[in-house]
Amino acid sequence: MKAWHSFTLVMLLATMAASSAQADTHGVKRFSCIEMRWLIPDGSETVNIEFSKDQESFARLTLSPQQSFRQFNFSTDAILAEGRMRLHIDEQSNKGILKLDSFSYRCYGPVEQAFSGPLMEFDLPPKP
């Protein structure tokens, strides 16, 4: 199982590195001990999100124009992460916006922290 996680992480990082020459299609935000990574595959309006701690993935989710809203609740031995995430597509400006409506998290202790706000704005791929 650990080999699978390592392979997935390497593939995600390789994909992110390959797409770095393009527009802003990936990003990372750190919340205390939690790292949240997002990636928009080339030519797609879908956003893949991964939560990890110490390079170990503990949760993944995907947002798309068809399912643009996700409520989540993830926990491990030392982490609690819960919230609502949204993908807003603005056809007029040809932009997508990835936003955390709310995000509460806790690492190693009882003190909970919170975040809300936009994470990134990106250009939508051209329509065929």
Side-chain angles (χ1 to χ4, degrees), residues 31 82 102-106 111-116:
F31 301 96
E82 58 186 354
S102 68
F103 182 52
S104 299
Y105 56 97
R106 188 170 63 219
V111 178
E112 191 171 288
Q113 298 176 6
F115 174 86
S116 66

Side-chain angles (χ1 to χ4, degrees), residues 40-76:
I40 303 159
D42 195 24
S44 175
E45 295 178 357
T46 299
V47 181
N48 300 317
I49 298 120
E50 178 181 56
F51 292 88
S52 63
K53 176 191 163 286
D54 299 330
Q55 307 276 328
E56 290 281 329
S57 174
F58 66 87
R60 290 188 181 94
L61 45 96
T62 301
L63 294 171
S64 70
Q66 295 76 32
Q67 186 179 17
S68 63
F69 172 81
R70 294 290 298 267
Q71 188 143 347
F72 57 90
N73 185 337
F74 307 119
S75 63
T76 68

Side-chain angles (χ1 to χ4, degrees), residues 3-117:
W4 174 250
H5 286 292
S6 297
F7 173 76
T8 303
L9 182 61
V10 167
M11 292 305 293
L12 179 65
L13 292 174
T15 303
M16 290 170 76
S19 65
S20 65
Q22 301 171 359
D24 193 15
T25 58
H26 67 280
V28 177
K29 179 119 176 113
R30 188 159 184 84
F31 301 96
S32 190
C33 69
I34 300 170
E35 197 166 83
M36 186 177 96
R37 298 180 179 274
W38 56 88
L39 170 70
I40 303 159
D42 195 24
S44 175
E45 295 178 357
T46 299
V47 181
N48 300 317
I49 298 120
E50 178 181 56
F51 292 88
S52 63
K53 176 191 163 286
D54 299 330
Q55 307 276 328
E56 290 281 329
S57 174
F58 66 87
R60 290 188 181 94
L61 45 96
T62 301
L63 294 171
S64 70
Q66 295 76 32
Q67 186 179 17
S68 63
F69 172 81
R70 294 290 298 267
Q71 188 143 347
F72 57 90
N73 185 337
F74 307 119
S75 63
T76 68
D77 294 339
I79 297 172
L80 173 65
E82 58 186 354
R84 290 184 309 273
M85 187 177 295
R86 181 178 316 270
L87 174 64
H88 174 73
I89 302 294
D90 185 346
E91 297 285 342
Q92 290 182 344
S93 66
N94 201 39
K95 298 276 184 190
I97 300 169
L98 179 62
K99 179 181 176 185
L100 279 169
D101 291 338
S102 68
F103 182 52
S104 299
Y105 56 97
R106 188 170 63 219
C107 295
Y108 308 111
V111 178
E112 191 171 288
Q113 298 176 6
F115 174 86
S116 66

